[in-house]
Amino acid sequence: MSMEYLDILFFALVAVFVALRLRGVLGTRTGHERPPEETRNPLSPRRVEPKAAEAGAQPGPARVLPFPMSEKVMSLIDQPALEGVEYIRRADRSFDPKGFLDGAQQAFEMIIDAFARGDRQTLAMLLSPQVLAGFNQAIDARERAGETHSTRIVSVREPRIAEARLAGSMAQVTVRFSTTQINQTLDAEGRVVAGGAEEIDLIDLWTFERDTRSSDPNWILTATRSGE
């Protein structure tokens, strides 16, 4: 066997060794890998599936659910809302109640903070036009009076799904937020005109909505009310 042939064989073995090492470190690509996750609105706490419910179709119990809910997850859903959650899960197989609640809490805190600061741009991203109009009116009135508002969320108890329904293709989920807050409004001279430094316990019921037929994964806030 010639030296030239041995050199070729040696370098071929080195090339195979290097290729195997690179494969072990970097992995292999098949052409079907998902792209990196984009920055998402917290109101879209889960990846939307390409298939969605048919227009106006109420999913029947015969459709297979994407995955069973654990007892821990079910404990975060009020009994009257369980049926509605199951309908939504059938229409949107990627709907994860726990992931949704995590995103809803982030959105709750963002909205409270944006309202206090008068951040209309953030509010416009997270609210329906009707709810946004009400928030903007309150901000306008505050600005005309020369008042400033501050809110500090001291604590948030674990949010719960209080209501859930599927109206045609529209999924509606109402979340109960139990919080301890410090709210204060000051006039132009810095005097307290509302609220104060004391902590108050509040319960809010916020309804989020999303069209399960849409490729847009974002949920928006469509209604707010005080709870008991």
Side-chain angles (χ1 to χ4, degrees):
M1 184 178 294
S2 67
M3 292 299 295
E4 181 179 357
Y5 179 79
L6 289 175
D7 288 342
I8 293 173
L9 180 61
F10 172 75
F11 286 116
L13 291 174
V14 170
V16 171
F17 175 75
V18 171
L20 290 174
R21 288 296 301 273
L22 287 173
R23 178 173 178 173
V25 174
L26 301 177
T28 58
R29 297 187 63 83
T30 66
H32 299 288
E33 288 81 3
R34 289 179 173 178
E37 194 74 25
E38 296 180 358
T39 301
R40 292 179 298 172
N41 183 311
L43 286 168
S44 57
R46 76 289 175 282
R47 178 182 295 276
V48 66
E49 294 288 329
K51 293 183 179 180
E54 296 179 0
Q58 186 78 350
R63 285 194 64 178
V64 178
L65 289 173
F67 50 85
M69 288 191 293
S70 67
E71 292 185 5
K72 170 61 177 175
V73 172
M74 292 184 67
S75 71
L76 301 175
I77 306 171
D78 288 353
Q79 185 67 31
L82 282 171
E83 182 178 16
V85 167
E86 295 296 81
Y87 277 126
I88 293 172
R89 294 177 69 223
R90 291 187 178 105
D92 178 0
R93 293 175 60 82
S94 64
F95 179 71
D96 170 24
K98 181 61 170 67
F100 172 84
L101 285 171
D102 290 342
Q105 179 173 333
Q106 293 178 45
F108 176 83
E109 296 174 0
M110 286 177 62
I111 291 169
I112 293 294
D113 177 68
F115 175 71
R117 294 185 293 104
D119 181 354
R120 302 171 192 269
Q121 183 175 358
T122 296
L123 294 175
M125 177 181 68
L126 301 170
L127 312 181
S128 69
Q130 295 81 1
V131 176
L132 178 63
F135 276 59
N136 281 338
Q137 287 177 4
I139 294 173
D140 290 341
R142 198 169 66 205
E143 291 176 347
R144 286 194 299 269
E147 296 174 346
T148 57
H149 180 75
S150 64
T151 295
R152 183 165 72 88
I153 299 177
V154 179
S155 64
V156 181
R157 268 75 74 191
E158 197 163 42
R160 298 181 56 82
I161 294 179
E163 302 167 9
R165 64 190 297 262
L166 186 68
S169 63
M170 298 302 297
Q172 300 169 348
V173 181
T174 299
V175 180
R176 180 186 295 106
F177 296 102
S178 301
T179 64
T180 299
Q181 302 180 20
I182 298 176
N183 294 294
Q184 189 170 256
T185 302
L186 306 178
D187 64 15
E189 282 71 43
R191 295 186 295 262
V192 177
V193 295
E198 67 278 3
E199 297 182 357
I200 57 173
D201 293 327
L202 299 172
I203 296 178
D204 293 287
L205 294 169
W206 285 18
T207 300
F208 301 99
E209 186 172 295
R210 177 182 174 269
D211 188 344
T212 59
R213 295 178 304 174
S214 174
S215 60
D216 182 356
N218 292 332
W219 293 73
I220 60 172
L221 179 65
T222 59
T224 65
R225 68 182 191 270
S226 296
E228 298 177 356

